[in-house]
Every structure is written in structure tokens, then in C-alpha cells.
Amino acid sequence: MQICHKRGIALDMIFDGKRLTGKTWIARHGETVFNAGQRLQGELLHTPLTRAGFAQADAMGAALRTLLGPTPALTLWASPTGRALQTLAVIAEHLELDWHGARTDPRLVEIGMGSWGGRYYADVIAEVGPVIDPATMLLRPAPDGETYGQIAGRVTNWASEADAISGDRLVIMHGISSRVLRGVLTGLPTDPLLGAPIAVGLPQGSVVVIENAVEHVAVRGTGGGHA
């Protein structure tokens, strides 16, 4: 397992699209104990998958095996969180790829939830009001948490470096951060209120593929609709 430590946030970046060469497969991790327990997990590292989460990872792996065949030529990337690495382990087994050769990068982690991280949704909502927009299923950033513009900065920075490695890639990450990365890679307009391009939400266990700034949903998951 290769670990990249640079997080690189560019707050003044203009997000006008970052096209990666080759195909970029982006997968959401499976359901976790925090998801099932209605807790805000954000960038927290160690929130293991539930049985439903492992089943979602298994379904993604089986679907990708059908689409790509055994031992496809893919660079493996993952958020360094336990839930992303567990999901990757199951998918890699289906694809007959070496999990130990994957690259982890903290720029792929979920939105930083600040002092709300780890708390129950109900407790935070009782204090500050709604934290999820029902129309978009986007999380409201915590006052001391990470902004959407900061997420866009770090995932754009990651994409610029990942592009130096030729070929297709598979990336295992999270609900909110993957929506921002997908927005960046497909050149969506920057949301004037949130300061980042944001793609439509997909359930946990979903996989998209992006090539030449065009996205297709390869696998639609069965999990929750937000982080």
C-alpha cells in the first residue's frame, strides 16, 4: 500500500474542469456502522462496514468484474479511511488485483466535519437545525469544518497529480467528496453558494466512470443517499 501525504488545498482555484486522460472509475464505499447508526462520520478514519456495506462492496466488485474482466489495467486509489480500504479489498479480490499496490491519499477523504464529526445527526439537528438539504442531499458544513471550496481544491490537486500516471484508474472514496470530484472532472459549473462544482448524489455502493469529461453510472448502489 503506497501512501501519499500531500493534501494541498487551493482556496483561490477556479474549478473550470480537470480532464484526466483515460477512464476514471469512482466508487462510493459501502454502508458503515456510522451510516446505520445515523452518525456524522466525515473524515473520521475508523468506521467499519456493516454486513450491508460488505454486500454493496461485493456487488460493486462483481459488476466491475463483468465490465472489466480479470486483472484489468487499473491504477488503484483510495481514501485512507478504513471503510474505503475495506471496500477496495473486496473489489480488488473480484478483479484479481493486488490491494497492497493501491495508493492512498488524504485528499480523497470525506468532508471534514469539525466538532460535529462522530455525533448523532439528531443531536446536532436539535442544536443547530437541519444539516442536510433535502433537495440536494448535501451536508451543511460545520462552522469549524471544511467548506466545499476546500474540498474542490484538494480533489483538483489530487487529479492534477494522478494524471501523471497514465492509464485508467479506480478510486474508492466518499459521498460528498466524490460528488465534488465528479463535478470537477466533468466540468460542472461552480455552485455560487457553495463555491464548488457538485455532481448529483448517488447511493452508497455506486460506481461511475468518467472519460473525456463525460460521466456514466456503471453501478447504482443500494445504500444511503448522503455521507
Side-chain angles (χ1 to χ4, degrees):
M1 179 69 60
Q2 302 176 47
I3 301 177
C4 303
H5 295 284
K6 235 195 293 188
R7 184 156 179 171
I9 295 174
L11 298 182
D12 58 349
M13 186 175 293
I14 298 173
F15 309 110
D16 57 354
K18 166 59 188 169
R19 291 197 179 192
L20 288 178
T21 55
K23 295 179 180 178
T24 302
W25 301 81
I26 302 174
R28 283 194 66 180
H29 64 76
E31 181 191 76
T32 72
V33 294
F34 269 45
N35 298 140
Q38 294 296 298
R39 296 177 68 177
L40 289 152
Q41 63 192 339
E43 80 281 24
L44 292 173
L45 295 181
H46 303 302
T47 53
L49 300 184
T50 61
R51 287 188 298 171
F54 277 110
Q56 290 158 6
D58 202 46
M60 286 190 286
L64 288 172
R65 170 73 177 231
T66 298
L67 291 168
L68 301 173
T71 62
L74 290 173
T75 301
L76 301 179
W77 289 90
S79 156
T81 59
R83 57 197 186 271
L85 293 172
Q86 283 182 312
T87 301
L88 176 59
V90 175
I91 293 174
E93 185 175 350
H94 276 279
L95 296 177
E96 299 180 37
L97 295 176
D98 184 6
W99 178 90
H100 297 91
R103 293 169 165 81
T104 63
D105 197 302
R107 292 171 294 190
L108 299 173
V109 299
E110 185 56 297
I111 182 173
M113 291 309 300
S115 58
W116 294 356
R119 299 184 62 194
Y120 287 96
Y121 279 91
D123 292 341
V124 176
I125 291 169
E127 289 181 9
V128 304
V131 296
I132 301 170
D133 181 338
T136 64
M137 298 304 289
L138 288 172
L139 279 170
R140 168 183 166 189
D144 59 346
E146 187 177 28
T147 69
Y148 283 82
Q150 287 173 319
I151 299 171
R154 61 174 162 88
V155 298
T156 301
N157 186 281
W158 168 82
S160 295
E161 293 188 18
D163 202 28
I165 303 172
S166 61
D168 300 342
R169 58 197 65 79
L170 171 64
V171 186
I172 313 297
M173 51 190 304
H174 307 270
I176 298 297
S177 59
S178 68
R179 290 179 66 176
V180 177
L181 176 60
R182 290 164 50 215
V184 168
L185 297 185
T186 56
L188 293 180
T190 297
D191 185 296
L193 296 179
L194 297 176
I198 303 171
V200 65
L202 292 170
Q204 285 168 329
S206 296
V207 185
V208 303
V209 57
I210 299 173
E211 185 177 21
N212 295 323
V214 177
E215 176 181 275
H216 298 285
V217 178
V219 182
R220 185 170 292 274
T222 59
H226 57 83

